[in-house]
Amino acid sequence: MKIGKIKLNNFRIYKGENELNFVAKGDKNISIIAGKNGFGKTTFLTSLIWCFYGKLMTQVEDKYKKDIKNIGGYDNYLLSLLNRDIKDESANSIFSVEVELEDLLIPSIPCRTVNIKRTYSLITKEETLQILIDGDENELTKDVGFEVFINDFILPREIAKFFFFDAEKIVSLAEAKSKSELRSLSRAYSEVLGIKKYEELKNNLESLLTKLRRRGVSELEEFKLKELLSEENELEKFISHNEDKQLDIDKHLAILKLESDSLQEKLIREGNSITLEELKELKSKRDDLKEESIKIKRELRKLLDLTPLVIAGKHLGKMYNQLVLENDDLYGALTEKLLKKELESFSTSILSNAELLSLEPLIKDKIEKVINTSIELKFKKKDSTSKVGKVYLEFSEESFREFQAIYNNIKTTFLSQFNAIVKEEKINRALLSRTINKIKQGEARKDNHLAKQFRDEKTKADTKIENLLNEKNELLEKLGGLRLKLTSHKKVRSEYEKNFNLVETDKKKFEVTQNLLTKINELIKRIKQDKKYSLQKSVSLGLKKLMHKEDFISNVRVNIIDDVMDIDLLDKNGVVIDKDSLSKGEQQLYATALLKALVDESGIKFPVFIDSPLQKFDKYHSKNIIKEFYPTISEQVVLFPLLEKELSEVEYELLKPNLNKAFLIHNTEKGSEIISTRVNNLFKEFKKEKDVYTY
């Protein structure tokens, strides 16, 4: 699938109609749309997303969701898409975006072109979508619905961000750490790797099982279930809210850390006390020690929960002795009661059998008296020797066993555990303090004005970082408790539902559905394993081609745990490489290799649009990206570079053998227009442009 033409009409900065023709010349697959900052490169990408997805563009990327939310909803967002000069021209108060696709394969429908056009009228306040196949309307698009047609036959919304992306922002692929970030990426992976449709089937089967269970419930059970579901829903909302807060903190931390690192480097350059490489090692060690400190404190808090019992000392021992006596007496008495009952039964049996011996009544009475007297004396003596006296505590056997385990732990291992972890905390604190001091010593020792300014700015940044880290740790503890509560709550609800009596007619359906669910779970597991190894191979191959450091990343490992998929980078010794230790350029290379692997594994033939294509790359990596990545990622690639800043003339020459078309965004005070230019003249025309910013 390729894009033949794109038409923008009055879309934001683009006044009037702008038409771009991408008809390919031979096997050249790269086109360039160049322009300075503020001229409309990002707007161009937004126009395509809007054309394909309209209101559903919020499902493509969080950026659009935030933009729409910040402006007050989708209706207000639509108003912001209209060129501002056109708003005053009531007769022409419309904007539209049209995309013509070629080589699109639609089952059972031969076609040469598919045209998608989305229009909004300021007069009617209506958004319209038109899809033409070979210039005509088609029953297929009407039957399935336009939005479904685009999602199923052109490009699914969930993975569109892998085909329309900001190269600088794809670093987020490499930086994903939190459970929510990893889950979000995992959902995208599932879509790209073709797993999502099976997971949707699984979810549908689980929903059906739930419905079948609930059909035969009583009014009281239904009320209780609604109550449980409502509580569950509230917990999920609360967790989601706190996860969003965590993401905001992480983003803020990342910015502040970059600021602190930059100031640190400036201070070192001023003082020349240690190298930047030594600084990097020290900072890595500091971060590891801080992480270890959090773990130690967490373990210490667990032990401190037992401290009140430890302080109780002798009183705790007395309580334990009392419980032992009560337990022995209670269960001993129970045993004796059973024994007495058995003996009395045995006595009755003897006496009844004695009748068979035809004994004299007098002798029989004597035997009965002797047996009964012996039993009574035996248990009367036992009762008189009871040690427990009055029962005070009355623990169940289970509670007694739990208390016994805690008591034995306090008596035997608590002190050694406590001393060991306190010692570990002291060592960690000393090492952390020493490391921080070494970093500080690396700062400028000159008392010049510039060094003082850097030091003050860094102190402020570090204080903010420390406060945010404390806030994040508190939030993580809170989230941990909430997730544990939610898991427990779901288990209670699930067990509650299992107790519902199935309606007779639903029993067979339930059995069939359960069998299907078992099979689909096995299928998903098998597919994930197959895709896992395929993805590992693709990412590893991509990295080897792109990175100039040989054996820096020797291998790649994909981990799949429940609904979370994560990727480890391994060195030549098989040790996991901390992604935080990678430079921004290296992180972007990894994310780029991952992106290419995902596009390849998807099997989807769709053009790839890349904004800021060479940001953060040095000259060695840029060369590899130009030669190994852009020509191979798709049959059609459109780049939006900042010429001279992101793409030099030297790098442009490397691109030329694969260049199909070149466009320049020309800017005036009235707006922007896109002009086709000869490939050889792009830089010459670019240098004529004036810095005019209208938006």
Side-chain angles (χ1 to χ4, degrees):
M1 185 193 323
K2 295 178 184 176
I3 289 177
K5 293 178 184 176
I6 297 174
K7 293 181 184 177
L8 276 67
N9 183 34
N10 295 329
F11 191 93
R12 279 193 174 167
I13 200 171
Y14 297 102
K15 186 177 181 180
E17 187 172 279
N18 285 262
E19 181 174 322
L20 289 81
N21 191 322
F22 292 94
V23 176
K25 297 176 182 177
D27 60 353
K28 296 181 177 183
N29 68 326
I30 299 174
S31 294
I32 281 184
I33 301 175
K36 297 182 180 180
N37 272 333
F39 280 24
K41 296 192 290 29
T42 304
T43 295
F44 191 94
L45 283 175
T46 301
S47 75
L48 298 179
I49 298 292
W50 178 74
C51 177
F52 284 121
Y53 305 110
K55 193 174 186 176
L56 298 176
M57 64 194 297
T58 56
Q59 297 176 21
V60 174
E61 199 175 342
D62 284 341
K63 174 189 179 302
Y64 301 115
K65 187 188 291 184
K66 287 179 181 177
D67 288 347
I68 291 169
K69 184 182 177 182
N70 291 338
I71 206 168
Y74 186 67
D75 290 341
N76 289 338
Y77 184 73
L78 284 172
L79 295 176
S80 74
L81 299 181
L82 178 64
N83 183 277
R84 66 186 180 190
D85 291 335
I86 302 297
K87 290 177 184 178
D88 301 325
E89 303 173 14
S90 57
N92 296 314
S93 293
I94 63 167
F95 66 87
S96 64
V97 181
E98 183 177 358
V99 179
E100 183 180 276
L101 298 167
E102 300 174 346
D103 303 332
L104 177 60
L105 295 175
I106 304 174
S108 305
I109 300 178
C111 70
R112 294 183 305 276
T113 62
V114 174
N115 285 72
I116 300 168
K117 184 177 182 179
R118 195 179 293 269
T119 305
Y120 179 78
S121 171
L122 193 64
I123 299 168
T124 63
K125 307 290 187 194
E126 287 185 356
E127 177 183 301
T128 57
L129 178 62
Q130 183 184 43
I131 299 178
L132 303 177
I133 298 177
D134 289 337
D136 298 314
E137 293 183 346
N138 191 282
E139 290 300 317
L140 172 67
T141 59
K142 292 179 181 178
D143 290 343
V144 301
F146 290 160
E147 305 292 357
V148 174
F149 177 83
I150 292 169
N151 201 69
D152 289 358
F153 292 98
I154 296 174
L155 185 65
R157 298 183 287 277
E158 292 84 354
I159 64 171
K161 64 181 173 184
F162 295 123
F163 294 84
F164 299 90
F165 68 91
D166 183 332
E168 191 174 2
K169 291 179 182 176
I170 66 166
V171 175
S172 60
L173 289 172
E175 291 177 335
K177 289 181 201 164
S178 70
K179 275 285 179 73
S180 59
E181 288 174 313
L182 290 171
R183 279 199 186 96
S184 177
L185 276 177
S186 296
R187 285 194 290 271
Y189 294 164
S190 293
E191 179 68 43
V192 171
L193 300 175
I195 303 168
K196 190 183 176 186
K197 56 188 176 185
Y198 299 106
E199 290 180 330
E200 285 176 347
L201 178 57
K202 172 194 168 185
N203 293 334
N204 290 336
L205 289 171
E206 287 175 340
S207 296
L208 179 56
L209 283 179
T210 302
K211 285 178 184 176
L212 290 171
R213 280 199 187 103
R214 294 175 186 175
R215 278 183 185 172
V217 299
S218 66
E219 286 186 14
L220 183 63
E221 286 174 327
E222 189 176 1
F223 176 78
K224 177 65 177 174
L225 181 62
K226 283 181 179 177
E227 198 175 51
L228 286 168
L229 288 168
S230 176
E231 290 170 6
E232 199 172 298
N233 189 45
E234 285 300 311
L235 276 170
E236 285 174 341
K237 284 181 182 176
F238 203 31
I239 288 170
S240 179
H241 172 70
N242 281 283
E243 284 176 341
D244 289 342
K245 281 177 68 177
Q246 185 197 331
L247 285 175
D248 289 340
I249 290 172
D250 284 339
K251 288 174 185 176
H252 199 183
L253 273 171
I255 295 167
L256 285 169
K257 282 180 178 177
L258 283 174
E259 183 185 338
S260 178
D261 291 348
S262 175
L263 289 164
Q264 184 79 64
E265 290 175 10
K266 288 176 182 177
L267 282 166
I268 286 172
R269 289 192 183 102
E270 286 291 308
N272 292 319
S273 58
I274 60 173
T275 67
L276 292 178
E277 191 62 37
E278 288 171 332
L279 172 67
K280 188 177 178 181
E281 290 176 6
L282 283 170
K283 284 167 64 180
S284 178
K285 185 179 178 181
R286 177 200 62 193
D287 293 342
D288 289 344
L289 287 167
K290 281 186 176 181
E291 195 66 33
E292 187 64 27
S293 177
I294 292 167
K295 291 178 183 176
I296 292 169
K297 286 173 181 175
R298 198 177 291 133
E299 291 299 314
L300 189 59
R301 275 195 292 272
K302 288 180 184 177
L303 287 175
L304 288 174
D305 289 341
L306 295 173
T307 304
L309 295 176
V310 177
I311 293 170
K314 291 180 180 179
H315 297 292
L316 187 70
K318 288 179 181 179
M319 180 179 173
Y320 175 73
N321 292 334
Q322 175 69 18
L323 279 170
V324 169
L325 290 172
E326 286 187 15
N327 189 69
D328 288 347
D329 190 74
L330 177 63
Y331 295 102
L334 183 62
T335 303
E336 288 175 2
K337 190 176 179 181
L338 292 170
L339 181 60
K340 188 176 180 181
K341 190 175 179 180
E342 285 295 319
L343 285 172
E344 287 173 345
S345 175
F346 180 64
S347 164
T348 304
S349 176
I350 289 175
L351 293 171
S352 62
N353 288 324
E355 291 179 359
L356 298 173
L357 300 174
S358 302
L359 297 174
E360 294 290 329
L362 187 61
I363 296 172
K364 183 185 171 186
D365 289 343
K366 283 184 178 180
I367 291 171
E368 185 177 355
K369 190 175 178 181
V370 168
I371 290 171
N372 289 337
T373 302
S374 298
I375 292 171
E376 289 297 326
L377 283 171
K378 173 70 177 171
F379 287 100
K380 187 177 179 183
K381 185 181 177 182
K382 186 72 178 173
D383 290 343
S384 67
T385 60
S386 175
K387 298 177 184 177
V388 68
K390 192 174 179 180
V391 175
Y392 293 101
L393 302 172
E394 287 190 281
F395 273 34
S396 67
E397 187 175 14
E398 186 182 350
S399 298
F400 171 70
R401 297 302 172 205
E402 288 177 3
F403 182 83
Q404 190 177 40
I406 293 170
Y407 178 76
N408 288 336
N409 178 41
I410 291 172
K411 194 175 178 182
T412 55
T413 62
F414 176 84
L415 189 59
S416 59
Q417 286 179 340
F418 186 80
N419 288 335
I421 204 153
V422 168
K423 186 179 178 182
E424 192 177 352
E425 197 275 333
K426 284 181 179 176
I427 294 169
N428 179 273
R429 189 169 4 115
L431 285 171
L432 181 59
S433 177
R434 202 178 302 154
T435 305
I436 290 171
N437 285 334
K438 282 182 181 178
I439 292 171
K440 286 181 178 178
Q441 287 169 14
E443 296 177 358
R445 295 180 179 180
K446 299 175 184 178
D447 259 343
N448 61 49
H449 176 72
L450 192 59
K452 187 177 183 302
Q453 182 186 329
F454 290 154
R455 195 179 293 111
D456 291 344
E457 288 175 8
K458 187 178 181 302
T459 301
K460 288 178 184 177
D462 288 346
T463 303
K464 289 178 182 176
I465 289 170
E466 193 67 35
N467 292 337
L468 279 174
L469 283 172
N470 291 334
E471 188 180 343
K472 182 182 175 180
N473 290 332
E474 288 175 10
L475 190 62
L476 287 173
E477 282 195 23
K478 187 178 181 179
L479 272 169
L482 286 169
R483 287 179 183 131
L484 190 65
K485 191 175 179 180
L486 180 62
T487 303
S488 175
H489 203 286
K490 283 183 175 179
K491 191 176 178 181
V492 170
R493 190 253 304 156
S494 179
E495 290 299 321
Y496 185 73
E497 287 181 335
K498 284 178 184 177
N499 292 326
F500 294 163
N501 293 318
L502 286 169
V503 178
E504 195 62 35
T505 55
D506 289 337
K507 286 182 179 178
K508 188 66 179 174
K509 292 179 186 175
F510 189 88
E511 188 180 325
V512 171
T513 306
Q514 208 163 34
N515 288 336
L516 281 172
L517 187 59
T518 303
K519 289 177 181 177
I520 200 71
N521 278 327
E522 290 172 356
L523 180 63
I524 290 170
K525 190 176 178 181
R526 191 163 64 250
I527 292 172
K528 279 187 175 181
Q529 287 302 314
D530 291 343
K531 292 293 185 180
K532 164 184 170 177
Y533 295 115
S534 181
L535 188 61
Q536 282 177 182
K537 188 177 177 181
S538 295
V539 176
S540 184
L541 185 64
L543 281 169
K544 282 180 170 65
K545 285 183 177 179
L546 296 177
M547 284 203 164
H548 69 269
K549 291 183 186 176
E550 292 186 8
D551 296 329
F552 174 56
I553 298 174
S554 182
N555 208 349
V556 173
R557 181 173 64 209
V558 176
N559 306 303
I560 300 173
I561 303 170
D562 297 327
D563 61 339
V564 174
M565 183 184 289
D566 193 17
I567 298 173
D568 289 333
L569 305 177
L570 308 175
D571 64 18
K572 61 183 178 182
N573 298 315
V575 177
V576 176
I577 299 169
D578 185 2
K579 294 189 186 104
D580 285 344
S581 69
L582 302 176
S583 67
K584 285 296 177 185
E586 288 167 342
Q587 285 184 345
Q588 193 166 335
L589 273 176
Y590 158 62
T592 301
L594 174 57
L595 182 78
K596 185 177 185 316
L598 289 169
V599 171
D600 289 345
E601 291 294 319
S602 74
I604 295 172
K605 303 298 180 184
F606 191 87
V608 173
F609 296 80
I610 308 172
D611 194 9
S612 305
L614 294 174
Q615 188 80 348
K616 302 292 184 186
F617 292 134
D618 57 34
K619 62 181 180 180
Y620 302 105
H621 290 135
S622 294
K623 185 179 178 181
N624 289 345
I625 291 288
I626 290 167
K627 295 180 73 174
E628 302 289 346
F629 178 64
Y630 295 142
T632 61
I633 190 171
S634 175
E635 291 178 356
Q636 188 178 36
V637 180
V638 183
L639 306 179
F640 296 81
L642 281 172
L643 298 185
E644 296 180 340
K645 183 180 178 183
E646 291 177 356
L647 184 68
S648 68
E649 290 190 62
V650 173
E651 291 162 339
Y652 185 72
E653 288 298 318
L654 294 173
L655 269 177
K656 272 188 181 181
N658 294 296
L659 274 181
N660 173 44
K661 291 289 183 71
F663 301 91
L664 188 65
I665 302 174
H666 178 66
N667 189 261
T668 68
E669 292 179 357
K670 293 181 179 180
S672 290
E673 59 180 343
I674 302 173
I675 302 168
S676 179
T677 185
R678 291 168 60 94
V679 168
N680 290 330
N681 290 346
L682 180 62
F683 270 83
K684 185 190 282 185
E685 294 295 327
F686 173 75
K687 288 172 182 177
K688 294 178 184 177
E689 285 291 315
K690 295 178 182 179
D691 292 322
V692 180
Y693 300 94
T694 60
Y695 275 64

Short mmCIF file of all heavy atoms in Angstrom, two decimals, residues 227-261:
data_model
loop_
_atom_site.label_atom_id
_atom_site.label_comp_id
_atom_site.label_asym_id
_atom_site.label_seq_id
_atom_site.Cartn_x
_atom_site.Cartn_y
_atom_site.Cartn_z
N GLU A 227 -22.73 -4.33 44.44
CA GLU A 227 -21.92 -3.65 45.47
C GLU A 227 -20.44 -3.97 45.28
O GLU A 227 -19.58 -3.07 45.31
CB GLU A 227 -22.40 -4.09 46.86
CG GLU A 227 -21.97 -3.18 47.98
CD GLU A 227 -22.57 -3.61 49.32
OE1 GLU A 227 -22.43 -4.79 49.68
OE2 GLU A 227 -23.19 -2.76 49.99
N LEU A 228 -20.13 -5.26 45.05
CA LEU A 228 -18.75 -5.69 44.85
C LEU A 228 -18.16 -5.08 43.58
O LEU A 228 -17.02 -4.61 43.56
CB LEU A 228 -18.68 -7.22 44.76
CG LEU A 228 -18.86 -8.00 46.07
CD1 LEU A 228 -19.06 -9.48 45.78
CD2 LEU A 228 -17.65 -7.81 47.00
N LEU A 229 -18.95 -5.07 42.50
CA LEU A 229 -18.48 -4.53 41.23
C LEU A 229 -18.26 -3.01 41.31
O LEU A 229 -17.32 -2.48 40.73
CB LEU A 229 -19.50 -4.84 40.11
CG LEU A 229 -19.54 -6.30 39.66
CD1 LEU A 229 -20.76 -6.54 38.77
CD2 LEU A 229 -18.28 -6.69 38.92
N SER A 230 -19.13 -2.34 42.04
CA SER A 230 -19.00 -0.89 42.23
C SER A 230 -17.71 -0.56 42.98
O SER A 230 -16.97 0.35 42.60
CB SER A 230 -20.21 -0.35 42.99
OG SER A 230 -20.05 1.02 43.27
N GLU A 231 -17.43 -1.31 44.04
CA GLU A 231 -16.20 -1.12 44.82
C GLU A 231 -14.96 -1.41 43.95
O GLU A 231 -13.96 -0.70 44.03
CB GLU A 231 -16.20 -2.03 46.05
CG GLU A 231 -17.22 -1.60 47.10
CD GLU A 231 -17.39 -2.64 48.20
OE1 GLU A 231 -16.62 -3.63 48.19
OE2 GLU A 231 -18.27 -2.48 49.07
N GLU A 232 -15.06 -2.47 43.13
CA GLU A 232 -13.98 -2.85 42.23
C GLU A 232 -13.70 -1.74 41.22
O GLU A 232 -12.55 -1.40 40.96
CB GLU A 232 -14.36 -4.14 41.51
CG GLU A 232 -13.20 -4.90 40.91
CD GLU A 232 -13.64 -6.26 40.39
OE1 GLU A 232 -14.10 -7.08 41.19
OE2 GLU A 232 -13.53 -6.46 39.16
N ASN A 233 -14.77 -1.19 40.67
CA ASN A 233 -14.66 -0.11 39.69
C ASN A 233 -14.01 1.14 40.29
O ASN A 233 -13.16 1.78 39.65
CB ASN A 233 -16.05 0.23 39.14
CG ASN A 233 -15.99 1.18 37.96
OD1 ASN A 233 -15.20 1.04 37.05
ND2 ASN A 233 -16.87 2.15 37.98
N GLU A 234 -14.39 1.47 41.52
CA GLU A 234 -13.81 2.62 42.21
C GLU A 234 -12.32 2.42 42.46
O GLU A 234 -11.52 3.35 42.30
CB GLU A 234 -14.53 2.85 43.55
CG GLU A 234 -15.92 3.45 43.43
CD GLU A 234 -15.90 4.81 42.74
OE1 GLU A 234 -15.10 5.67 43.13
OE2 GLU A 234 -16.68 5.00 41.78
N LEU A 235 -11.95 1.20 42.85
CA LEU A 235 -10.54 0.90 43.07
C LEU A 235 -9.73 1.05 41.77
O LEU A 235 -8.64 1.60 41.76
CB LEU A 235 -10.38 -0.53 43.60
CG LEU A 235 -10.54 -0.73 45.11
CD1 LEU A 235 -10.61 -2.21 45.44
CD2 LEU A 235 -9.39 -0.08 45.88
N GLU A 236 -10.29 0.56 40.65
CA GLU A 236 -9.61 0.65 39.36
C GLU A 236 -9.43 2.10 38.92
O GLU A 236 -8.38 2.47 38.40
CB GLU A 236 -10.39 -0.13 38.29
CG GLU A 236 -10.21 -1.64 38.43
CD GLU A 236 -11.08 -2.43 37.48
OE1 GLU A 236 -12.08 -1.84 36.95
OE2 GLU A 236 -10.80 -3.63 37.26
N LYS A 237 -10.46 2.92 39.15
CA LYS A 237 -10.36 4.35 38.83
C LYS A 237 -9.28 5.03 39.66
O LYS A 237 -8.50 5.83 39.16
CB LYS A 237 -11.71 5.04 39.08
CG LYS A 237 -12.77 4.79 38.02
CD LYS A 237 -14.05 5.55 38.35
CE LYS A 237 -15.15 5.27 37.33
NZ LYS A 237 -16.42 5.94 37.72
N PHE A 238 -9.25 4.68 40.96
CA PHE A 238 -8.27 5.26 41.88
C PHE A 238 -6.85 4.86 41.47
O PHE A 238 -5.93 5.68 41.48
CB PHE A 238 -8.57 4.81 43.30
CG PHE A 238 -8.02 5.72 44.35
CD1 PHE A 238 -7.88 7.09 44.14
CD2 PHE A 238 -7.63 5.22 45.58
CE1 PHE A 238 -7.36 7.92 45.12
CE2 PHE A 238 -7.10 6.04 46.57
CZ PHE A 238 -6.97 7.40 46.32
N ILE A 239 -6.69 3.59 41.10
CA ILE A 239 -5.38 3.09 40.65
C ILE A 239 -4.95 3.80 39.38
O ILE A 239 -3.81 4.25 39.25
CB ILE A 239 -5.43 1.56 40.44
CG1 ILE A 239 -5.49 0.84 41.79
CG2 ILE A 239 -4.20 1.08 39.64
CD1 ILE A 239 -5.76 -0.64 41.70
N SER A 240 -5.88 3.93 38.41
CA SER A 240 -5.58 4.60 37.15
C SER A 240 -5.17 6.06 37.38
O SER A 240 -4.21 6.55 36.77
CB SER A 240 -6.81 4.54 36.23
OG SER A 240 -6.55 5.20 35.03
N HIS A 241 -5.89 6.73 38.28
CA HIS A 241 -5.57 8.12 38.62
C HIS A 241 -4.16 8.25 39.20
O HIS A 241 -3.38 9.13 38.82
CB HIS A 241 -6.60 8.66 39.62
CG HIS A 241 -6.28 10.01 40.18
ND1 HIS A 241 -6.34 11.17 39.40
CD2 HIS A 241 -5.86 10.40 41.43
CE1 HIS A 241 -5.97 12.20 40.15
NE2 HIS A 241 -5.68 11.77 41.37
N ASN A 242 -3.82 7.33 40.10
CA ASN A 242 -2.49 7.36 40.72
C ASN A 242 -1.39 6.95 39.74
O ASN A 242 -0.26 7.42 39.84
CB ASN A 242 -2.47 6.46 41.96
CG ASN A 242 -3.11 7.12 43.17
OD1 ASN A 242 -2.52 7.97 43.82
ND2 ASN A 242 -4.34 6.74 43.47
N GLU A 243 -1.71 6.07 38.79
CA GLU A 243 -0.74 5.70 37.75
C GLU A 243 -0.44 6.90 36.85
O GLU A 243 0.71 7.10 36.44
CB GLU A 243 -1.26 4.53 36.92
CG GLU A 243 -1.15 3.19 37.64
CD GLU A 243 -1.75 2.04 36.86
OE1 GLU A 243 -2.57 2.29 35.94
OE2 GLU A 243 -1.44 0.88 37.18
N ASP A 244 -1.48 7.68 36.55
CA ASP A 244 -1.27 8.90 35.76
C ASP A 244 -0.37 9.89 36.52
O ASP A 244 0.51 10.54 35.92
CB ASP A 244 -2.61 9.57 35.45
CG ASP A 244 -3.42 8.79 34.42
OD1 ASP A 244 -2.83 7.95 33.71
OD2 ASP A 244 -4.65 9.00 34.34
N LYS A 245 -0.59 9.99 37.84
CA LYS A 245 0.24 10.85 38.66
C LYS A 245 1.70 10.39 38.63
O LYS A 245 2.62 11.20 38.53
CB LYS A 245 -0.27 10.86 40.11
CG LYS A 245 -1.48 11.77 40.34
CD LYS A 245 -1.99 11.69 41.76
CE LYS A 245 -1.02 12.29 42.76
NZ LYS A 245 -1.59 12.26 44.14
N GLN A 246 1.88 9.06 38.67
CA GLN A 246 3.23 8.51 38.63
C GLN A 246 3.92 8.84 37.31
O GLN A 246 5.10 9.20 37.29
CB GLN A 246 3.19 6.98 38.82
CG GLN A 246 4.58 6.35 38.90
CD GLN A 246 4.55 4.85 38.68
OE1 GLN A 246 3.57 4.18 38.98
NE2 GLN A 246 5.62 4.33 38.11
N LEU A 247 3.17 8.73 36.20
CA LEU A 247 3.73 9.05 34.89
C LEU A 247 4.16 10.52 34.81
O LEU A 247 5.22 10.85 34.27
CB LEU A 247 2.71 8.76 33.79
CG LEU A 247 2.48 7.28 33.43
CD1 LEU A 247 1.36 7.14 32.41
CD2 LEU A 247 3.75 6.65 32.88
N ASP A 248 3.31 11.40 35.37
CA ASP A 248 3.65 12.83 35.39
C ASP A 248 4.92 13.08 36.20
O ASP A 248 5.78 13.88 35.80
CB ASP A 248 2.48 13.63 35.99
CG ASP A 248 1.28 13.69 35.05
OD1 ASP A 248 1.46 13.47 33.83
OD2 ASP A 248 0.15 13.95 35.55
N ILE A 249 5.03 12.40 37.34
CA ILE A 249 6.23 12.54 38.17
C ILE A 249 7.46 12.05 37.41
O ILE A 249 8.51 12.70 37.43
CB ILE A 249 6.07 11.76 39.50
CG1 ILE A 249 5.04 12.46 40.41
CG2 ILE A 249 7.40 11.67 40.24
CD1 ILE A 249 4.68 11.68 41.66
N ASP A 250 7.32 10.88 36.72
CA ASP A 250 8.44 10.32 35.97
C ASP A 250 8.91 11.27 34.87
O ASP A 250 10.12 11.44 34.64
CB ASP A 250 8.06 8.97 35.36
CG ASP A 250 8.04 7.85 36.39
OD1 ASP A 250 8.70 8.01 37.44
OD2 ASP A 250 7.36 6.83 36.18
N LYS A 251 7.94 11.89 34.17
CA LYS A 251 8.29 12.84 33.11
C LYS A 251 9.01 14.06 33.67
O LYS A 251 10.01 14.52 33.12
CB LYS A 251 7.02 13.26 32.35
CG LYS A 251 6.45 12.17 31.46
CD LYS A 251 5.12 12.58 30.85
CE LYS A 251 4.51 11.41 30.05
NZ LYS A 251 3.16 11.76 29.54
N HIS A 252 8.49 14.57 34.80
CA HIS A 252 9.10 15.72 35.46
C HIS A 252 10.51 15.37 35.96
O HIS A 252 11.45 16.16 35.82
CB HIS A 252 8.21 16.18 36.61
CG HIS A 252 8.51 17.58 37.05
ND1 HIS A 252 7.87 18.18 38.12
CD2 HIS A 252 9.40 18.50 36.59
CE1 HIS A 252 8.37 19.39 38.28
NE2 HIS A 252 9.28 19.63 37.38
N LEU A 253 10.65 14.16 36.51
CA LEU A 253 11.95 13.70 37.00
C LEU A 253 12.97 13.61 35.86
O LEU A 253 14.13 14.00 36.02
CB LEU A 253 11.82 12.32 37.66
CG LEU A 253 11.46 12.28 39.14
CD1 LEU A 253 11.16 10.86 39.58
CD2 LEU A 253 12.57 12.86 40.00
N ALA A 254 12.52 13.09 34.73
CA ALA A 254 13.41 12.95 33.57
C ALA A 254 13.95 14.30 33.13
O ALA A 254 15.15 14.45 32.84
CB ALA A 254 12.68 12.27 32.41
N ILE A 255 13.07 15.32 33.10
CA ILE A 255 13.47 16.67 32.72
C ILE A 255 14.47 17.25 33.72
O ILE A 255 15.51 17.81 33.35
CB ILE A 255 12.24 17.59 32.59
CG1 ILE A 255 11.34 17.12 31.44
CG2 ILE A 255 12.65 19.05 32.39
CD1 ILE A 255 9.96 17.76 31.43
N LEU A 256 14.16 17.09 35.01
CA LEU A 256 15.02 17.62 36.06
C LEU A 256 16.38 16.92 36.09
O LEU A 256 17.42 17.55 36.33
CB LEU A 256 14.34 17.49 37.42
CG LEU A 256 13.21 18.48 37.72
CD1 LEU A 256 12.46 18.06 38.98
CD2 LEU A 256 13.74 19.90 37.88
N LYS A 257 16.39 15.60 35.84
CA LYS A 257 17.65 14.85 35.82
C LYS A 257 18.54 15.31 34.68
O LYS A 257 19.76 15.42 34.84
CB LYS A 257 17.36 13.35 35.73
CG LYS A 257 16.95 12.74 37.06
CD LYS A 257 16.67 11.26 36.93
CE LYS A 257 16.29 10.66 38.30
NZ LYS A 257 15.94 9.22 38.18
N LEU A 258 17.93 15.56 33.53
CA LEU A 258 18.69 16.08 32.39
C LEU A 258 19.30 17.44 32.73
O LEU A 258 20.46 17.71 32.42
CB LEU A 258 17.79 16.21 31.16
CG LEU A 258 17.46 14.92 30.39
CD1 LEU A 258 16.43 15.20 29.30
CD2 LEU A 258 18.71 14.32 29.77
N GLU A 259 18.50 18.27 33.40
CA GLU A 259 18.96 19.59 33.82
C GLU A 259 20.13 19.47 34.81
O GLU A 259 21.15 20.15 34.68
CB GLU A 259 17.80 20.37 34.44
CG GLU A 259 18.16 21.80 34.85
CD GLU A 259 17.01 22.49 35.57
OE1 GLU A 259 15.84 22.07 35.41
OE2 GLU A 259 17.27 23.46 36.31
N SER A 260 19.94 18.57 35.81
CA SER A 260 20.98 18.37 36.83
C SER A 260 22.26 17.82 36.20
O SER A 260 23.36 18.26 36.53
CB SER A 260 20.47 17.42 37.91
OG SER A 260 21.46 17.16 38.87
N ASP A 261 22.11 16.85 35.28
CA ASP A 261 23.27 16.26 34.61
C ASP A 261 24.04 17.30 33.78
O ASP A 261 25.27 17.34 33.78
CB ASP A 261 22.84 15.11 33.70
CG ASP A 261 22.33 13.92 34.49
OD1 ASP A 261 22.53 13.90 35.72
OD2 ASP A 261 21.72 13.01 33.88
#
